[in-house]
Amino acid sequence: MNIGVFGTGYVGLVSAVCFADLGHSVVAVDKDHQVVAKLTAGEPTLYEPGLKEILTRNLDTSRLAFTTRAEEAVRRSEVLFLCVGTPPRSDGSSDPVQVEEVARSLAPLLDGHKLIVEKSTVPVNTARLLDRTLRWWAPLGCDYEVASNPEFLREGSAIHDFLHPDRIVIGADSDRARSLMLELYGDAFDCPKLITDVKTAELIKHASNAFLASKISFINMISNLCEELEVDVSVVAQGIGLDHRIGHHFLNAGLGFGGSCLPKDLQAFVRIAEDFGVDFSLLREVERINEGRVGRLLKKLERALWVVGGKTIGVLGVAFKPNTSDIRNAPSLQVLSRLKDAGAILNVYDPKAASSLEQIHPPNAHLHYAVSPYKAAENAHALVILTEWEEVTSLDLARIRSLMRSPIIVDGRNLFNPVEMRERGFEYYSLGRGDVTISEPHGRVKNPGMEA
Ligand code: NAD
């Protein structure tokens, strides 16, 4: 099948390369000339495991092409995916400008039957507005339909998730649109395919992300309680998650959720509910809990260092999660600006996202970029862990301890066992588990459950 994809960010690029890999012929459009030039040359514009290989493989077969010209995609394609950004407006609602802009650019080019599919995460009823916009700009009497096919991939495992989804949701209001979408996905996917009307599919995506965010804030509140009760939150999470009705995913207490999706989708969903007269204050609380996580971690650091100003702090990880170069809404951004404001000297390490951060925070006398976690630890008064990169989970802790000026680790991702950290001579702080505190650096962990 001939497919057009608009927007070549995380969702558009991954969709384009994967559909090409499944045998479809794909033309992907982006308005950014530099992005198109790089992708055409086989250079990924973002980091995702496996992306480079699948990109070059499909460029070589000529099943995949990139362009800035909408007409090259529209004229030849039966299905056109909209994968542009839907960033938040200042009031938290979803900004439709990019979606509307694409609709206006492709509408005058419509000829023959086209299925225009929302893959971007959009507020419920966007398809209706999209349809109206297309009608305003399209040639009179032209034949098109709008469908919804929300994307559930996770950054860091995007190619895998696209090719092995838990489910495919297809929102379509006609038999023709439904069968085109089913033909497109073909037999290559053996997951459940949920066919709904367009409005329902739109709602499913926002409701899914709101639920995931709620799960994270829930376990983070349990983690606050665990700290007071001297109980280990990871054991509680295990006990909760073994119930199949709950499951263990998204039950890791820590710094909370970030990234380009959950925070903005949660805010947008609250606004959507309000627009329809539904008070979804439950989700406002989810957001409030999440916003408190960075402060909670930094309080531990401040308590350990007494005064943060003038101290050298190694920061391990700035990406909002491992295996991605994305730092949009990453908790690290808040951590870094608060530590900078406090006058700390920062040595930052991230294997893939450092260059994204450098564009916002260029290096200076107070901010250095380290080439390894060990360089970041050199002469540090404390290490702060913000992303669970494999390089960080597998640290040589003896080496780290020998490099640091004082062996303080503040771990926002609960990567290490507090008892073992005490035995290795660290002062170790995490979230919702026993802290190895300054008063007893070589003493007991404030949590008897951890000793088991
Ligand atoms: P992104 O910001 O990484 O990419 C958007 C791309 O669209 C950019 O390359 C931009 O240049 C391009 N673009 C903007 N206007 C254009 C236009 N008029 N014509 C052509 N190209 C244009 O966004 P993303 O992270 O891929 O997210 C896209 C959508 O998918 C959002 O709605 C997001 O919420 C949703 N989503 C994202 C993820 C994720 O993990 N990133 C997962 C599921 C759903």
Side-chain angles (χ1 to χ4, degrees), residues 312-316 345-349 376-377 380-385 404:
T312 300
I313 298 171
V315 177
L316 302 187
I345 297 148
L346 303 173
N347 289 330
V348 177
Y349 169 72
H381 294 97
L383 265 189
V384 178
I385 297 175
M404 293 178 72

Side-chain angles (χ1 to χ4, degrees), residues 112-435:
H113 181 267
K114 309 278 175 190
L115 185 62
I116 294 148
V117 184
E118 304 165 339
K119 223 181 212 323
S120 301
T121 302
V122 290
V124 65
N125 280 337
T126 294
R128 220 159 34 90
L129 297 164
L130 198 53
D131 185 73
R132 204 158 71 134
T133 304
L134 289 163
R135 206 155 294 288
W136 285 340
W137 300 93
L140 277 178
C142 85
D143 184 20
Y144 68 86
E145 279 179 87
V146 178
S148 166
N149 173 216
E151 183 51 58
F152 299 97
L153 63 78
R154 296 160 299 173
E155 288 179 27
S157 52
I159 304 279
H160 174 272
D161 290 353
F162 188 94
L163 293 172
H164 306 279
D166 290 340
R167 79 299 209 187
I168 293 169
V169 175
I170 293 170
D173 291 333
S174 77
D175 287 341
R176 189 174 183 180
R178 280 186 280 274
S179 42
L180 257 179
M181 289 301 289
L182 287 172
E183 187 190 334
L184 177 71
Y185 280 103
D187 298 329
F189 297 85
D190 61 1
C191 64
K193 297 183 185 82
L194 182 67
I195 314 286
T196 70
D197 58 34
V198 174
K199 196 158 66 167
T200 306
E202 292 173 332
L203 187 60
I204 286 171
K205 173 63 193 182
H206 263 129
S208 296
N209 276 3
F211 188 78
L212 292 173
S214 306
K215 233 178 147 182
I216 295 173
S217 282
F218 180 85
I219 199 64
N220 280 333
M221 276 314 275
I222 298 287
S223 115
N224 291 356
L225 186 57
C226 283
E227 286 190 4
E228 299 307 319
L229 296 171
E230 300 193 7
V231 167
D232 181 351
V233 69
S234 56
V235 181
V236 177
Q238 195 185 4
I240 300 172
L242 283 169
D243 185 329
H244 285 116
R245 293 168 302 176
I246 298 172
H248 61 272
H249 295 292
F250 281 68
L251 281 185
N252 295 326
L255 265 183
F257 53 85
S260 68
C261 289
L262 288 193
K264 84 162 169 68
D265 291 348
L266 185 68
Q267 281 188 2
F269 199 41
V270 171
R271 292 305 308 257
I272 293 163
E274 280 171 2
D275 287 348
F276 287 94
V278 174
D279 176 6
F280 218 148
S281 48
L282 170 69
L283 295 182
R284 285 207 183 281
E285 197 55 20
V286 167
E287 198 184 350
R288 192 190 64 79
I289 294 165
N290 197 54
E291 282 167 358
R293 299 312 287 169
V294 164
R296 201 168 175 97
L297 188 80
L298 289 183
K299 246 194 200 114
K300 293 186 186 230
L301 179 69
E302 282 157 18
R303 249 186 256 136
L305 290 178
W306 191 27
V307 172
V308 172
K311 303 279 165 44
T312 300
I313 298 171
V315 177
L316 302 187
V318 292
F320 84 94
K321 63 193 287 199
N323 294 321
T324 178
S325 51
D326 199 350
I327 57 167
R328 290 178 287 182
N329 271 315
S332 63
L333 298 179
Q334 267 191 65
V335 172
L336 291 175
S337 37
R338 285 174 65 168
L339 292 179
K340 262 175 81 178
D341 290 349
I345 297 148
L346 303 173
N347 289 330
V348 177
Y349 169 72
D350 190 290
K352 299 290 177 200
S355 56
S356 315
L357 187 73
E358 266 192 71
Q359 287 167 22
I360 314 171
H361 294 292
N364 60 37
H366 281 83
L367 175 61
H368 309 278
Y369 287 90
V371 294
S372 75
Y374 302 100
K375 279 278 168 209
E378 259 176 30
N379 291 321
H381 294 97
L383 265 189
V384 178
I385 297 175
L386 301 180
T387 316
E388 59 273 48
W389 283 101
E390 214 263 325
E391 288 92 328
V392 180
T393 57
S394 63
L395 279 178
D396 176 345
L397 290 167
R399 187 172 164 204
I400 288 285
R401 196 184 182 293
S402 71
L403 291 166
M404 293 178 72
R405 195 181 291 262
S406 63
I408 297 172
I409 295 189
V410 180
D411 181 357
R413 299 298 177 187
N414 288 357
L415 299 186
F416 302 107
N417 180 312
V419 172
E420 282 172 25
M421 294 305 271
R422 178 199 58 196
E423 284 164 7
R424 289 174 176 277
F426 284 101
E427 220 178 282
Y428 179 70
Y429 301 86
S430 55
L431 291 160
R433 307 180 310 156
D435 285 335

